[in-house]
Amino acid sequence: AFFGGDQVVASIGPVRSARPYFIDWASGYGALYAHIGGSPAAIRQLNITETVLDFDEYYNQYQFWRSPDRYAPHNVFTSTELLGRGLAKEYPDRSNWSYSTYHFKDDALLETRPEDVEDVVVEFGVNLYRVTWKYDRLTNSYQRFENTRAQTMADGAPLMANNIIVVTMEMTVLDEIGRLAIETTGEGKAILFQDGTVKDVSWKKPTVADLMRFYDAEGKEILFNAGQTWIEVVD
């Protein structure tokens, strides 16, 4: 999950461990990357990278807390306020910096939105993690379901997205634990779901430091609707 510096979020989590592909994606934003430890490959990468600001709970415990409502390791949370304090403390010269972003358009007019829209179903190998997005024509957004159950925020609000992109990347299982290697740079195929329509697009990320961008068949960069953009990555 990515949050802009002007957002105020009282509870973010659960915070989990770092993986190389998370670092690669965060690098496109020059982000402050909050995590708790990580895989050996991720820790090695964080020790040498200059494309993200490393913020590990192991060394910055006061910027995180453990919730009594959950079992470890799913119980570590933080907030934008605490991350802001950590940024000012650990990276005082980086409190303000520019980062790349996407380009946006107005939502399609209600009368142009299709009335009969097929659900978006994303398979992750087992039914337990099958994701379904259902389109809502009035709000021009998609609601997220996992294994047929509606996913919600802590306050009960449904998880919604204004743009969904399903990206295909080469993946390799590294060990018996299931750790993955993902080819996050280069280019590949993707599918954009937006305004109740579906479009074949492509993704490009020339280097780790570049933001992953999306293009139509004519090579023009995709314009997103303002709001939540959710990127699903599959093999």
Side-chain angles (χ1 to χ4, degrees):
F2 291 90
F3 300 93
D6 57 344
Q7 288 183 268
V8 177
V9 185
S11 180
I12 300 173
V15 182
R16 299 301 306 274
S17 56
R19 294 293 183 269
Y21 39 91
F22 292 150
I23 302 168
D24 291 351
W25 294 326
S27 293
Y29 298 93
L32 178 74
Y33 179 52
H35 64 99
I36 304 174
S39 67
I43 298 302
R44 287 194 297 270
Q45 185 172 341
L46 286 168
N47 284 336
I48 62 174
T49 186
E50 296 181 354
T51 52
V52 298
L53 306 182
D54 180 17
F55 201 66
D56 193 337
E57 188 266 353
Y58 286 164
Y59 307 103
N60 301 277
Q61 294 179 359
Y62 292 107
Q63 270 65 58
F64 299 81
W65 76 86
R66 289 191 177 268
S67 169
D69 301 326
R70 288 171 172 251
Y71 292 104
H74 308 274
N75 63 343
V76 178
F77 290 78
T78 186
S79 67
T80 52
E81 179 184 1
L82 290 176
L83 293 177
R85 290 184 198 172
L87 176 64
K89 176 183 176 183
E90 298 297 326
Y91 300 97
D93 59 334
R94 297 291 296 275
S95 292
N96 291 287
W97 73 92
S98 61
Y99 56 90
S100 298
T101 185
Y102 296 117
H103 304 288
F104 298 89
K105 67 175 187 63
D106 293 330
D107 280 41
L109 297 175
L110 177 61
E111 57 267 25
T112 68
R113 301 171 196 167
E115 296 187 12
D116 186 17
V117 176
E118 205 171 340
D119 291 344
V120 181
V121 180
V122 188
E123 299 283 359
F124 287 104
V126 294
N127 291 346
L128 182 64
Y129 299 118
R130 177 186 287 132
V131 168
T132 302
W133 293 93
K134 295 181 179 292
Y135 178 65
D136 184 299
R137 183 170 180 263
L138 290 179
T139 62
N140 198 31
S141 58
Y142 298 79
Q143 183 177 359
R144 196 175 200 268
F145 294 76
E146 190 172 84
N147 191 24
T148 73
R149 296 181 59 184
Q151 289 194 284
T152 59
M153 302 290 283
D155 62 1
L159 273 181
M160 308 293 292
N162 304 85
N163 314 277
I164 304 163
I165 312 169
V166 179
V167 171
T168 60
M169 291 182 169
E170 293 291 332
M171 300 184 186
T172 304
V173 179
L174 298 176
D175 52 31
E176 67 280 356
I177 299 176
R179 293 190 180 113
L180 295 173
I182 301 179
E183 291 290 337
T184 59
T185 57
E187 57 186 77
K189 296 179 179 179
I191 307 173
L192 170 69
F193 299 91
Q194 181 188 73
D195 298 323
T197 66
V198 55
K199 181 184 296 183
D200 289 322
V201 298
S202 62
W203 65 268
K204 295 182 181 180
K205 184 175 168 66
T207 72
V208 168
D210 289 311
L211 183 64
M212 181 166 54
R213 296 189 179 276
F214 303 91
Y215 301 88
D216 63 18
E218 287 73 44
K220 296 180 180 178
E221 188 169 355
I222 294 298
L223 300 179
F224 291 116
N225 292 331
Q228 300 282 357
T229 295
W230 195 298
I231 301 175
E232 307 271 17
V233 181
V234 298
D235 193 5

